[in-house]
C-alpha cells in the first residue's frame, strides 16, 4: 500500500501552488493521476526508469504495453523523437494541444521501459490546462497510460481513478469530468501511408484532411479482432471491459426503428433464458426498450456521437454497479467521426461478442 493524497485542482484556473505540489511528486519520482481532455492519465517522469516502472506496477499493466509521452511544448517533441517527418509537424501544429497521439522514431533519451523497448515513441500534447501546467512545472515530459487498472474501462472522473488506484499511487488530482471521455487517436507516422493504431477523440476524417491522404485502417482499429502485436503492442489485451458480459448488437441504423426492434428481440431472448439484461442505447431508441420493461442506460443522441463517446466508459462502469443486472447489450453506432472510436471501444469491451441483426 502507498499513501495516496487527493488534490482538487480547478480545471479552468489551476492554482499554481497546487500544481507545484503535484509537480514536486513527479520530480521526486512519484506517480500522479492527472486529468487530460480525453481520460485521466497515470504519469511519471519519462526520464526516470524507476518511476515509470511504478506506473506499470500500480496498474498491473503488462510491461510490453508502451506508454504515451505527454509534452507541453515543441522543444520536448524534438527531445523525445528523432527524424520527425513534415507530416508530424503539420498535424502537431494543427491539432496540438489536443487528442491526437503521433507515433514517431524515439530518441536515445527515452528509456526502453516507456516504449516497451521499441524504437518508436507515442507522443502527444494534451489540451487540458491542468495536464499542461503539470508537465511544464515538472520540467520533463510525462509518460502516462490511462489511470485505470489494466483491462478496466478508462477513467473519465477522479472517482473512477480512486476506485481503481487508491492506495497504489502517490497522488490523484481531481479536476472533475474529462471532456471527451475516450482516449486519444493514435496515428503511426513511421509507416507510409500512415496507419491508424487507435481511433479516438480526434476524428480520423480531420487527420486525413490535414495529411491530404487516407490513413490505413486495419480491422483491429475498428475493434474487429486482435491486433498484430508488431504494429500495436497494447491492443492485443482485453480492454475497457466491464466485469459483466457485454454483447454488441449491430445492424442497419438507417432504419432505426426496425433495428431497435431487432435488438429488443435479442434482449428479450436473453431474458427468457433467465438473465436480467440492461441495454446501452441511443436517446432516439431508449423508449422502445423501456416500453418492454428493459433496464436502459442512455449513451446519448446518434445526432451527436460526441456525447455518446463522453458517456461510454461511465456507462460501462455503471453496468457493473447495478445489482439487478446480469449482462448488458449495446447498440451499435455508425463508424463515422467519433463513432469509429465508440465502436472500437464497444467491440473490444465485449471481448468481440458481436451479434448482427
Ligand atoms: P493508454 O494511454 O492506456 O491507452 O495506452 C497507450 C497506448 O498507446 C498503448 O496501449 C499502445 O498500444 C499505444 N502505444 C504507445 N506507444 C506505442 C508504440 N511505441 N508503438 C505502438 N503503440 C504504442
Ligand atoms: Mg489504457
Amino acid at each position: 500500500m502507498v499513501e495516496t493524497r487527493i488534490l482538487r485542482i480547478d480545471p479552468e484556473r489551476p492554482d499554481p501552488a497546487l500544481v507545484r505540489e503535484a509537480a514536486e511528486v513527479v520530480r521526486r519520482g512519484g506517480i500522479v493521476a492527472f486529468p487530460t481532455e480525453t481520460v485521466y492519465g497515470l504519469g511519471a517522469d519519462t526520464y526516470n526508469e524507476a518511476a515509470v516502472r511504478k506506473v506499470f506496477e500500480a496498474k498491473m499493466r503488462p510491461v510490453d504495453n508502451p506508454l504515451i509521452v505527454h509534452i507541453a511544448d515543441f522543444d520536448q517533441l524534438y527531445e523525445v523523437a528523432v527524424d520527425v517527418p513534415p507530416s508530424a509537424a503539420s498535424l502537431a501544429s494543427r491539432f496540438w494541444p489536443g487528442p491526437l497521439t503521433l507515433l514517431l522514431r524515439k530518441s536515445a533519451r527515452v528509456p526502453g521501459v516507456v516504449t516497451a523497448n521499441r524504437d518508436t515513441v507515442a507522443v502527444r500534447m494534451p489540451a487540458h490546462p491542468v495536464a499542461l501546467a503539470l508537465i511544464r512545472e515538472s520540467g520533463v515530459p510525462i509518460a502516462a497510460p490511462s489511470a485505470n487498472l489494466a483491462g478496466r474501462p478508462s477513467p473519465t472522473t477522479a472517482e473512477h481513478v480512486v476506485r481503481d488506484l487508491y492506495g497504489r499511487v502517490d497522488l490523484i488530482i481531481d479536476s472533475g469530468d474529462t471532456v471527451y471521455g475516450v482516449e486519444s487517436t493514435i496515428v503511426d507516422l513511421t509507416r507510409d501511408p500512415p496507419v491508424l493504431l487507435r481511433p479516438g477523440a480526434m476524428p480520423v476524417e480531420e487527420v486525413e484532411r490535414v495529411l491530404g491522404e487516407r490513413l490505413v485502417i486495419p480491422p483491429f482499429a475498428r475493434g474487429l479482432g486482435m491486433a498484430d502485436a508488431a504494429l500495436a503492442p497494447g491492443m492485443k489485451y482485453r480492454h475497457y471491459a466491464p466485469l459483466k458480459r457485454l454483447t454488441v448488437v449491430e445492424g442497419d441504423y438507417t432504419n432505426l426503428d426496425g433495428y431497435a426492434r431487432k435488438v429488443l428481440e435479442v434482449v428479450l431472448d436473453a431474458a427468457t433464458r433467465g438473465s436480467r439484461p440492461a441495454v446501452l442505447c441511443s436517446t432516439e431508441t431508449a423508449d422502445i426498450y423501456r416500453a418492454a420493461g428493459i433496464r436502459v442506460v442512455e449513451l446519448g443522441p446518434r445526432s451527436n456521437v460526441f456525447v455518446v463517446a463522453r458517456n461510454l466508459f461511465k456507462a460501462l462502469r455503471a453496468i457493473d454497479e447495478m445489482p439487478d443486472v446480469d449482462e448488458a447489450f449495446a447498440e451499435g453506432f455508425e463508424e463515422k467521426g467519433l463513432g469509429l472510436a465508440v465502436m472500437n471501444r464497444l467491440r473490444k469491451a465485449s471481448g468481440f461478442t458481436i451479434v448482427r441483426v
Side-chain angles (χ1 to χ4, degrees):
M1 276 288 275
V2 175
E3 197 192 319
T4 304
R5 283 170 56 219
I6 299 179
L7 209 55
R8 162 90 212 148
I9 303 185
D10 184 342
E12 318 268 288
R13 305 182 73 243
D15 179 335
L18 298 179
V19 173
R20 259 198 305 280
E21 246 182 277
E24 191 55 32
V25 178
V26 173
R27 272 201 300 268
R28 282 203 303 252
I31 55 177
V32 175
F34 64 100
T36 79
E37 77 279 28
T38 58
V39 301
Y40 275 75
L42 178 61
D45 172 355
T46 300
Y47 303 132
N48 182 335
E49 285 196 48
V52 173
R53 238 176 245 116
K54 285 195 229 165
V55 169
F56 285 89
E57 279 158 23
K59 286 192 54 146
M60 298 195 276
R61 182 180 178 98
V63 291
D64 64 351
N65 190 0
L67 310 184
I68 292 173
V69 172
H70 294 73
I71 60 173
D73 59 55
F74 283 91
D75 288 347
Q76 288 180 328
L77 169 62
Y78 296 95
E79 203 175 285
V80 300
V82 293
D83 303 336
V84 178
S87 57
S90 357
L91 286 173
S93 64
R94 173 71 184 80
F95 293 124
W96 282 359
L100 177 65
T101 297
L102 302 177
L103 198 74
L104 302 164
R105 297 256 157 252
K106 129 187 192 334
S107 81
R109 254 195 103 167
V110 180
V113 60
V114 172
T115 64
N117 289 318
R118 294 172 163 260
D119 56 5
T120 53
V121 61
V123 192
R124 97 172 177 101
M125 191 187 291
H128 197 289
V130 173
L132 282 175
L134 178 66
I135 300 164
R136 274 198 198 109
E137 193 61 35
S138 302
V140 286
I142 293 186
S146 51
N148 51 286
L149 285 173
R152 297 276 294 143
S154 298
T156 61
T157 72
E159 288 74 47
H160 295 162
V161 182
V162 169
R163 195 43 92 93
D164 279 16
L165 297 177
Y166 192 84
R168 308 181 65 85
V169 303
D170 299 299
L171 180 67
I172 297 172
I173 299 177
D174 178 357
S175 299
D177 284 11
T178 61
V179 180
Y180 291 101
V182 287
E183 302 87 342
S184 60
T185 300
I186 307 180
V187 176
D188 184 348
L189 292 177
T190 68
R191 288 164 205 271
D192 192 16
V195 179
L196 177 72
L197 296 184
R198 175 176 75 187
M202 175 65 62
V204 164
E205 296 86 343
E206 304 236 348
V207 175
E208 289 177 334
R209 201 168 311 135
V210 169
L211 284 178
E213 67 178 325
R214 302 298 294 266
L215 297 179
V216 174
I217 303 183
F220 71 79
R222 299 175 54 212
L224 296 171
M226 293 295 181
D228 171 2
L231 207 59
M235 308 291 166
K236 65 176 176 286
Y237 295 106
R238 182 138 194 244
H239 260 84
Y240 318 121
L243 304 169
K244 290 173 189 168
R245 190 146 65 106
L246 174 69
T247 304
V248 187
V249 189
E250 301 184 22
D252 174 9
Y253 315 121
T254 55
N255 171 10
L256 202 52
D257 222 56
Y259 161 70
R261 297 207 176 277
K262 287 184 202 158
V263 177
L264 178 61
E265 270 176 43
V266 174
V267 176
L268 290 175
D269 198 49
T272 50
R273 283 186 273 108
S275 159
R276 293 168 302 173
V279 179
L280 297 167
C281 65
S282 60
T283 311
E284 292 90 340
T285 48
D287 281 343
I288 294 177
Y289 308 109
R290 280 201 195 98
I294 300 292
R295 181 76 174 264
V296 160
V297 179
E298 259 185 57
L299 292 171
R302 281 171 193 274
S303 53
N304 187 357
V305 212
F306 174 86
V307 178
V308 175
R310 194 184 155 99
N311 288 328
L312 186 62
F313 287 133
K314 200 178 263 185
L316 289 175
R317 284 181 181 255
I319 295 287
D320 283 339
E321 309 281 318
M322 294 176 178
D324 50 349
V325 168
D326 301 314
E327 65 174 315
F329 292 85
E331 285 187 345
F333 292 81
E334 213 187 322
E335 288 173 88
K336 261 193 356 209
L338 286 182
L340 186 62
V342 168
M343 288 312 289
N344 165 288
R345 303 304 185 278
L346 276 176
R347 288 166 175 158
K348 292 184 81 167
S350 75
F352 314 115
T353 310
I354 301 164
V355 172
R356 277 205 75 88
V357 293

